[in-house]
Amino acid sequence: MRHGKKFNHLGRTADHRKAMLANLSISLIEHKRITTTVAKAKALKKYVEPLITRCKDDSTNSRRVVFRYLQNKEAVKTLFAEIAEKVGDRPGGYTRIIKVGPRQGDGAEMAFIELVDFDENMAKAPKAAAKRTRRAGKKAAPKAEAPKAEEAPAEEAKAE
């Protein structure tokens, strides 16, 4: 019976699951965004968010606790230096999962998992620009704006 066993075992033994989640966490800390399956992303979110909360308090004990989970000195340094600096005022919700569709080979649902404060594209893009229309007759006019951006450096070069 599986009464009270609510987390996803991911089809692995406990040691394999622990090692896999540690490796995914290290990759997420290093690259700030990784692509994986939705099930692994959800399991990783539950694994890495308490570690990020722990890194807000930069003490010897916190570093030892985080190192026990990750077993990677470089990842611990990055977590306590870069990531703790950006998430210091955030009360939680340090990661975001974005579904990207099925994988080509086996059809598994894939997703990005990323650190929220490190995604420059999402922070800068206004919501109106992200909305698209599906009309065939309408065409956007970004081509008219592109030459203006290219002409500006050429004019500066002539002035010098």
Side-chain angles (χ1 to χ4, degrees):
M1 285 190 270
R2 58 178 309 274
H3 297 300
K5 297 181 179 168
K6 296 188 179 192
F7 67 94
N8 193 343
H9 293 277
L10 301 171
R12 289 163 171 79
T13 61
D15 289 336
H16 186 185
R17 186 172 52 251
K18 180 181 171 187
M20 182 193 65
L21 289 172
N23 286 330
L24 285 171
S25 298
I26 292 166
S27 295
L28 180 64
I29 290 165
E30 182 180 335
H31 300 290
K32 312 301 187 263
R33 176 187 227 185
I34 59 173
T35 305
T36 185
T37 62
V38 173
K40 286 180 189 173
K42 288 179 180 179
L44 178 61
K45 186 172 189 161
K46 287 184 178 183
Y47 188 86
V48 79
E49 291 222 1
L51 298 180
I52 296 172
T53 301
R54 178 68 75 159
C55 82
K56 287 181 177 182
D57 173 36
D58 191 2
S59 65
T60 305
N61 184 53
S62 294
R63 285 181 179 266
R64 286 177 178 165
V65 168
V66 171
F67 183 76
R68 192 180 81 207
Y69 283 92
L70 297 180
Q71 294 293 313
N72 186 314
K73 288 182 184 178
E74 296 302 318
V76 172
K77 285 179 188 175
T78 304
L79 188 64
F80 278 86
E82 273 182 55
I83 296 173
E85 178 183 313
K86 284 217 176 185
V87 301
D89 56 345
R90 183 177 283 274
Y94 311 111
T95 57
R96 174 189 300 130
I97 297 174
I98 302 168
K99 294 181 183 177
V100 294
R103 183 162 50 198
Q104 183 75 28
D106 60 357
E109 282 295 319
M110 298 298 287
F112 286 127
I113 182 166
E114 63 186 4
L115 297 173
V116 172
D117 293 325
F118 287 88
D119 187 15
E120 296 85 19
N121 296 334
M122 293 284 255
K124 291 180 184 175
K127 292 186 179 183
K131 190 176 179 181
R132 296 184 193 170
T133 58
R134 297 190 64 137
R135 293 183 185 174
K138 296 267 183 173
K139 292 201 175 190
K143 293 180 182 177
E145 296 174 8
K148 292 178 184 175
E150 292 174 6
E151 291 173 9
E155 292 177 69
E156 290 174 7
K158 290 177 185 177
E160 293 175 357

